[in-house]
Amino acid sequence: MYPIHRYSCLDSTNVKAKQLADEGALHGTAIIADNQTSGRGRLGKSWHTVGGLGLYCSLIVRPQIEVTDYSKLTLVSGLAVAEALWKIAGVKPTLKWPNDVLFNSKKCAGILAESSALNLVAEERFAIIGIGVNVNHGNENFPSELHDTATSLALESDFKDGEKYAIEDVFSLVQDGVMREVSRFEKQGFRDILKDWRKYDHLLGKEMECVSTTGDVIKGISLGPDLEGILHVRDASSRIHEVLSGDVRLARTIDKS
Ligand code: BTN
């Protein structure tokens, strides 16, 4: 059993997790909030939080891995969240590199993995794995700009009136899954995790556009992530580009996820 800190409202569970980790919180400590006032997403975006309807949690991990492997924790956790949501919804999701969990091409969950200053000595290092899952949202709970791109477990499961998922059950499955995959990563490395991740790859073989952090737009076919977790994209002249981070979207679709 890992320690769990529960809150009715926080600015962001990732911010609280960082504070607790700086104070020495143990590997596996979880922070969960019913609501967040400043939920954070990747690339400086915000995470749309609706109190009581979603899972908003952060897990503090102190894995026994090389500093250079910390960046792979996003894919490791994404796989775990996809597997957990498949179990819950009974429908297989896909994973959009690096961290979006989609049902029918709409985003149901996102992961924001943040690392401590990696120059800390090994015993003090940690990562925060922040997970947001849209659980019991109806369409009316998303702002209009997310209507075409966001979904929830309830919407994907075709629930009848009044039926709801227990957020606590979703949390337990997600937490178990992430801690199990992190431990597999520590013991067996990344190769098998990547093999499993590829079974969910939403972009593989599809034409896509990426906007790299330098602002360059790369258009091409996704070849999937490599053993470093870096996405490879082949452009029209067969040149292979490596995408480290930045926004990724399918070509000719509007993707605001
Ligand atoms: C993304 O897809 O951009 C990542 C979204 C991550 C959202 C979760 S909600 C719980 C945790 N606390 C935050 O402030 N963000 C993450």
Side-chain angles (χ1 to χ4, degrees):
M1 278 290 279
Y2 296 109
I4 304 179
H5 298 249
R6 295 171 195 282
Y7 299 87
S8 53
C9 190
L10 287 173
D11 48 357
S12 151
T13 58
N14 268 34
V15 171
K16 183 51 128 186
K18 161 103 176 48
Q19 180 201 323
L20 292 173
D22 283 337
E23 290 164 11
L26 299 175
H27 175 72
T29 300
I31 291 84
I32 174 165
D34 296 334
N35 200 0
Q36 301 182 113
T37 51
S38 306
R40 290 161 42 179
R42 282 183 69 244
L43 305 170
K45 295 178 188 170
S46 58
W47 178 256
H48 180 69
T49 301
V50 189
L53 290 186
L55 171 64
Y56 312 109
C57 71
S58 301
L59 305 177
I60 297 167
V61 293
R62 299 181 183 275
Q64 305 295 305
I65 55 175
E66 298 296 323
V67 174
T68 45
D69 282 336
Y70 267 68
S71 59
K72 296 175 190 139
L73 286 170
T74 293
L75 298 194
V76 172
S77 327
L79 172 64
V81 174
E83 286 170 336
L85 299 194
W86 188 3
K87 256 183 227 155
I88 297 162
V91 183
K92 188 179 177 187
T94 55
L95 280 163
K96 195 180 98 179
W97 185 90
N99 70 335
D100 295 350
V101 187
L102 314 180
F103 286 100
N104 296 310
S105 301
K106 291 183 168 191
K107 181 160 170 172
C108 183
I111 293 147
L112 176 63
E114 300 182 287
S115 302
S116 61
L118 293 179
N119 53 2
L120 288 179
V121 290
E123 309 77 66
E124 288 173 11
R125 258 176 232 144
F126 62 84
I128 307 295
I129 300 172
I131 302 159
V133 184
N134 301 326
V135 179
N136 288 318
H137 299 53
N139 280 318
E140 68 284 6
N141 300 119
F142 293 113
S144 55
E145 68 271 18
L146 292 181
H147 273 172
D148 294 336
T149 54
T151 190
S152 72
L153 288 177
L155 285 168
E156 295 303 320
S157 318
D158 225 3
F159 266 8
K160 294 184 194 66
D161 280 351
E163 265 185 297
K164 296 245 178 285
Y165 283 110
I167 307 255
E168 193 55 36
D169 295 348
V170 180
F171 167 68
S172 291
L173 275 171
V174 165
Q175 181 196 32
D176 285 357
V178 172
M179 296 314 292
R180 198 180 46 243
E181 289 298 350
V182 168
S183 146
R184 174 157 78 126
F185 181 37
E186 287 177 303
K187 292 188 187 116
Q188 297 172 19
F190 190 56
R191 189 173 291 274
D192 283 353
I193 291 178
L194 178 65
K195 217 162 124 192
D196 288 345
W197 195 97
R198 283 174 160 270
K199 296 177 191 158
Y200 295 84
D201 192 340
H202 183 75
L203 295 169
L204 186 67
K206 292 186 184 148
E207 197 171 323
M208 49 162 290
E209 263 182 28
C210 9
V211 184
S212 72
T213 37
T214 53
D216 295 331
V217 176
I218 303 163
K219 258 192 184 174
I221 303 287
S222 171
L223 305 177
D226 66 8
L227 270 171
E228 293 307 314
I230 296 170
L231 184 66
H232 286 210
V233 177
R234 191 180 55 228
D235 72 15
S237 60
S238 292
R239 196 173 145 212
I240 312 280
H241 299 265
E242 292 188 343
V243 185
L244 275 164
S245 66
D247 236 345
V248 171
R249 62 193 170 194
L250 288 173
R252 290 188 298 277
T253 58
I254 301 162
D255 184 341
K256 300 203 184 83
S257 62

